[in-house]
Amino acid sequence: METYQHLSIKEWAIEDRPREKLIYKGLPSLSDAELLAILIGSGSAKESAVELSKRILRDCQNNLNVLGKKTVTDLKANYHGIGEAKAISIVASLELGRRRKLQDGEERPKITCSKDVCAIFQPILGDLPHEEFWVLLLNRSNKVIAKNKVSQGGIAGTVIDVRLILKSAIEHLASSIILCHNHPSGNKQPSDADTNITKKMSEAARIMDVPVLDHIIVTDNAFYSYADEGMI
């Protein structure tokens, strides 16, 4: 690619242009920058769409999760050649990828440890700028019946209703549940409020014979498990 540094994409060999490369060589042949360049469509007089994409990714530590936190305003303000329409395309495509993670596969995943829970929720919650509280409903074999968002809050917290969680568990005939929420701050350590709601939820669920197996707190690159720490 370095040989094309000062050429527009239209001047590149056909097999090296991102769109044509996708058609003739398939998706796996494209780098993250090339995929992003397809979304952007065109660059500016100073740099091609691929060069612009590389610069955007470099500013995000070449991490798509970091890029996923960027807003339309962020992209417009910091990158010449990225207007509102292009910024919206980038943000929308990353949100679509996040929602894809929400879709249940044909095979229900089985939960054997806290890492299994993290694998489900980190792609959903890890890069959100606000807190969300979710519940994982399990059958007797610890296979996932459903995962439900209970509430959405601000940067510092969210409010949950114990009754609604238990109502959902009963309606789905769940044998046990796992709680999960995120910390946008990146600090995985539980707050006093987190611990209080865990105790409150555990006590109420025990009465209904639907035990809380764990409460997971996720960040963009780490997680905390109440069960692993002997806190539940």
Side-chain angles (χ1 to χ4, degrees), residues 8 29 34 64 123 145 153 161 165 169 184 200:
S8 70
S29 69
E34 290 170 324
L64 293 177
I145 298 173
D161 190 323
I165 294 177
K200 183 178 180 180

Side-chain angles (χ1 to χ4, degrees), residues 129-172:
H130 58 268
E131 280 200 13
E132 289 187 0
F133 200 103
W134 288 64
V135 60
L136 201 62
L137 308 178
L138 307 177
N139 64 16
R140 291 189 180 277
S141 300
N142 279 357
K143 287 191 174 183
V144 176
I145 298 173
K147 53 181 181 291
N148 297 329
K149 183 167 76 170
V150 177
S151 67
Q152 177 175 317
I155 296 174
T158 182
V159 178
I160 73 165
D161 190 323
V162 172
R163 294 168 299 179
L164 290 179
I165 294 177
L166 291 176
K167 179 177 181 289
S168 177
I170 292 169
E171 288 176 346
H172 285 84

Side-chain angles (χ1 to χ4, degrees), residues 17-187:
R17 300 175 191 172
R19 292 180 182 178
E20 286 78 2
K21 191 175 178 181
L22 185 153
I23 293 171
Y24 294 112
K25 297 184 179 180
L27 281 168
S29 69
L30 273 69
S31 66
D32 289 348
E34 290 170 324
L35 290 170
L36 185 57
I38 291 175
L39 289 174
I40 292 174
S42 61
S44 65
K46 295 182 178 180
E47 57 188 351
S48 69
V50 173
E51 290 167 342
L52 176 56
S53 298
K54 287 180 178 179
R55 185 157 60 88
I56 293 171
L57 288 170
R58 185 171 62 248
D59 290 346
C60 295
Q61 296 86 53
N62 291 307
N63 187 324
L64 293 177
N65 288 321
V66 176
L67 179 58
K69 296 180 181 180
K70 299 291 185 183
T71 66
V72 170
T73 302
D74 291 335
L75 294 169
K76 286 173 56 182
N78 292 294
Y79 300 100
H80 178 68
I82 298 293
E84 186 170 75
K86 292 180 181 180
I88 288 173
S89 293
I90 295 170
V91 171
S93 66
L94 289 166
E95 173 63 16
L96 196 61
R98 190 182 76 87
R99 293 187 184 186
R100 181 184 177 188
K101 296 292 185 179
L102 297 175
Q103 302 297 316
D104 291 323
E106 295 181 1
E107 180 66 25
R108 290 179 177 177
K110 183 173 182 178
I111 303 302
T112 61
C113 62
S114 58
K115 288 183 179 180
D116 294 338
V117 182
C118 182
I120 292 174
F121 284 113
Q122 204 162 45
I124 299 171
L125 303 174
D127 59 1
L128 293 181
H130 58 268
E131 280 200 13
E132 289 187 0
F133 200 103
W134 288 64
V135 60
L136 201 62
L137 308 178
L138 307 177
N139 64 16
R140 291 189 180 277
S141 300
N142 279 357
K143 287 191 174 183
V144 176
I145 298 173
K147 53 181 181 291
N148 297 329
K149 183 167 76 170
V150 177
S151 67
Q152 177 175 317
I155 296 174
T158 182
V159 178
I160 73 165
D161 190 323
V162 172
R163 294 168 299 179
L164 290 179
I165 294 177
L166 291 176
K167 179 177 181 289
S168 177
I170 292 169
E171 288 176 346
H172 285 84
L173 301 177
S175 295
S176 58
I177 61 178
I178 293 176
L179 310 175
C180 185
H181 79 282
N182 62 309
H183 279 179
S185 66
N187 179 9

